[in-house]
Amino acid sequence: MKSPALITAGAAALLAGGAALGQVALALVVALLQLLTAAGWFRLNGMWPARQGILLAALAGFTADAAVLLADSDGGVAAVVGTLGGFFLLVLVLQTFRPSDPKERFYALTVLGSATVVTVLCTALLLADWVPAAVGAVALATLLAAAPLPGPKQLGPVLGLAAAVALGLLVGAPVALGALAGLGALVGRRVAAYDFPSRFVHMTAGVALPLAVAAPLVWIATELLA
């Protein structure tokens, strides 16, 4: 079993515990996930060190978390979209007037903009229902996908997705919850595996992206498809 998958499962357990304690506790754990996501995304895309970019992407995530906590029950989505739009505009302005080569500036804009989007979308966990079941499905899918199972290499991801769906059905969650959470976990894991030789990527993007990619899909499953 690969250690990033085990750490992802541990992060999922923390998220489940935070959800059980309330929105504020969940937001604190989501903030840790966002910081890990921002750092991992920059290294995954070959930009390191990039402390200012990581801090800006993480700040966008923290701001979205705070906006959701302060918004009323119907304003959470608008808070996330507004935060994302505001920070994306800030990123655009900062990179446009950055004194550097145009090609380098465009690459930095792409990485910083995408890092901001991925980090802010983690906030979707604060808007979703069935968070413990959803992160449990992510953990199952990630663990089974990384397990050294006999047979073809596709067996682990297939079993992981099936286990995620089964968990959702077992706890009575919306039908789409386990499927979308498991799919997000597998997509995030595959994206993080792009820079396979890097141990730093394994311990940041490899840990965070299964949960980060699954977060908006979990919200879709519980709010739009339920």
Side-chain angles (χ1 to χ4, degrees), residues 24-42:
V24 175
L26 177 58
L28 292 176
V29 186
V30 168
L32 292 177
L33 174 64
Q34 288 168 324
L35 185 58
L36 197 60
T37 301
W41 189 260
F42 273 87

Side-chain angles (χ1 to χ4, degrees), residues 76-219:
V77 176
V80 173
V81 173
T83 301
L84 185 56
F87 271 88
F88 205 81
L89 180 61
L90 177 61
V91 166
L92 184 62
V93 171
L94 290 176
Q95 293 303 319
T96 299
F97 294 100
R98 178 185 176 190
S100 61
D101 179 83
K103 292 183 179 179
E104 180 184 344
R105 190 185 307 136
F106 180 76
Y107 181 64
L109 173 63
T110 302
V111 175
L112 183 53
S114 57
T116 302
V117 172
V118 173
T119 304
V120 168
L121 287 180
C122 293
T123 305
L125 288 173
L126 298 179
L127 301 173
D129 297 321
W130 297 94
V131 172
V135 295
V138 170
L140 271 178
T142 305
L143 288 171
L144 285 172
L149 301 174
K153 63 180 181 180
Q154 294 85 1
L155 180 62
V158 170
L159 289 178
L161 185 57
V165 173
L167 176 64
L169 295 176
L170 184 64
V171 299
V175 174
L177 178 71
L180 289 181
L183 181 62
L186 296 177
V187 171
R189 182 177 179 274
R190 183 67 186 90
V191 171
Y194 176 76
D195 192 9
F196 184 80
S198 173
R199 179 172 176 81
F200 187 89
V201 171
H202 285 175
M203 293 297 112
T204 52
V207 170
L209 283 182
L211 289 161
V213 175
L217 298 181
V218 169
W219 174 76

